[in-house]
């Protein structure tokens, strides 16, 4: 399948180009415009996703990417608000899931060495939203995580995410197969 990110839609619109329409046109030309089981569309910009859902009416699953306000994304979205229960409830009106930065879920370790998780994934799931955090790298582990397998365990077994973005898909697939083989599949 395809997992397409609509990058900087407002920047493109200011230049007279509608990247949203262009992506949908290419998907239609290639026969993917109405394959919700094979295509996801993601974007950091909530208004773009609202347009896709409510004005254009795409049947494709939409994922609201969630960054940090300090990153300076080309967007009208307030990521602090989107991470709140109220913000996630709004996201649920136009998107099928969220794509948060992994450090918005994994908060490190407490004084006793226990893993600290935010309530972001659980709150999103309670609203029926998929959770696909990014970006999982074997060579850039978060503080307090000793291995890529441990990172995957934290997210799949403890946080209960539905999928992850990674630069190491072979390792993630192997990890998920191992879980499946042992009957220990994540949620």
């Amino acid at each position: 399948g395809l997992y397409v990110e609509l990058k900087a839609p407002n920047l493109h619109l200011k230049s007279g180009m509608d990247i949203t329409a262009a992506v949908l046109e290419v998907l239609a030309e290639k026969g993917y415009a109405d394959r919700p089981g094979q295509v996801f569309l993601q974007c950091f910009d909530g208004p773009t996703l609202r347009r896709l859902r409510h004005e254009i009416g795409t049947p494709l699953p939409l994922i609201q990417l969630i960054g940090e306000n300090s990153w300076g994304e080309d967007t009208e979205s307030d990521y602090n608000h989107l991470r709140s229960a109220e913000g996630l409830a709004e996201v649920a009106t136009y998107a099928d899931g969220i794509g948060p930065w992994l450090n918005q879920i994994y908060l490190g370790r407490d004084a006793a060495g226990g893993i600290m998780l935010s309530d972001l994934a659980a709150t999103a799931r309670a609203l029926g939203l998929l959770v696909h955090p990014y970006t999982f790298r074997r060579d850039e582990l978060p503080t307090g995580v000793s291995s890529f397998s441990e990172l995957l365990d934290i997210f799949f077994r403890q946080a209960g995410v539905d999928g992850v973005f990674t630069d190491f898909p072979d390792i993630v697939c192997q990890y998920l197969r191992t879980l499946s083989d042992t009957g220990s599949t994540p949620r």
Side-chain angles (χ1 to χ4, degrees), residues 76-151:
E76 297 175 24
S77 298
D78 175 357
Y79 301 124
N80 293 335
H81 174 69
L82 291 181
R83 288 193 309 270
S84 70
E86 298 80 20
L88 289 169
E90 289 173 24
V91 170
T93 67
Y94 63 83
D96 302 284
I98 60 169
W101 180 35
L102 65 88
N103 289 319
Q104 294 167 336
I105 295 175
Y106 171 75
L107 304 177
R109 293 194 178 262
D110 62 22
I115 293 167
M116 297 186 303
L117 300 174
S118 73
D119 63 353
L120 181 60
T123 303
R125 284 194 323 274
L127 291 165
L129 294 168
L130 297 168
V131 181
H132 299 161
Y134 63 88
T135 299
F136 286 66
R137 296 191 49 85
R138 181 177 70 178
D139 55 346
E140 289 181 22
L141 298 172
T143 302
V145 177
S146 61
S147 70
F148 198 57
S149 291
E150 180 184 22
L151 180 64

Side-chain angles (χ1 to χ4, degrees), residues 16-185:
M17 297 176 283
D18 186 347
I19 192 171
T20 303
V23 166
L24 291 176
E25 184 178 313
V26 170
L27 289 172
E29 286 173 9
K30 302 299 180 186
Y32 284 97
D34 59 358
R35 290 188 183 179
Q38 291 183 303
V39 180
F40 282 88
L41 296 175
Q42 65 178 338
C43 189
F44 280 101
D45 188 60
T48 296
L49 294 171
R50 282 188 206 86
R51 176 180 170 220
L52 279 162
R53 178 65 72 225
H54 300 303
E55 291 175 31
I56 297 172
T58 183
L60 300 175
L62 304 176
I63 303 296
Q64 173 68 64
L65 292 173
I66 302 176
E68 293 289 329
N69 289 337
S70 64
W71 292 353
E73 287 291 329
D74 173 48
T75 180
E76 297 175 24
S77 298
D78 175 357
Y79 301 124
N80 293 335
H81 174 69
L82 291 181
R83 288 193 309 270
S84 70
E86 298 80 20
L88 289 169
E90 289 173 24
V91 170
T93 67
Y94 63 83
D96 302 284
I98 60 169
W101 180 35
L102 65 88
N103 289 319
Q104 294 167 336
I105 295 175
Y106 171 75
L107 304 177
R109 293 194 178 262
D110 62 22
I115 293 167
M116 297 186 303
L117 300 174
S118 73
D119 63 353
L120 181 60
T123 303
R125 284 194 323 274
L127 291 165
L129 294 168
L130 297 168
V131 181
H132 299 161
Y134 63 88
T135 299
F136 286 66
R137 296 191 49 85
R138 181 177 70 178
D139 55 346
E140 289 181 22
L141 298 172
T143 302
V145 177
S146 61
S147 70
F148 198 57
S149 291
E150 180 184 22
L151 180 64
L152 296 174
D153 275 343
I154 291 167
F155 278 83
F156 282 107
R157 290 184 182 198
Q158 295 180 44
V161 302
D162 300 288
V164 298
F165 278 90
T166 182
D167 293 330
F168 299 90
D170 55 330
I171 298 171
V172 174
C173 286
Q174 181 182 7
Y175 168 85
L176 292 173
R177 274 193 299 275
T178 301
L179 283 184
S180 179
D181 291 346
T182 63
S184 177
T185 56

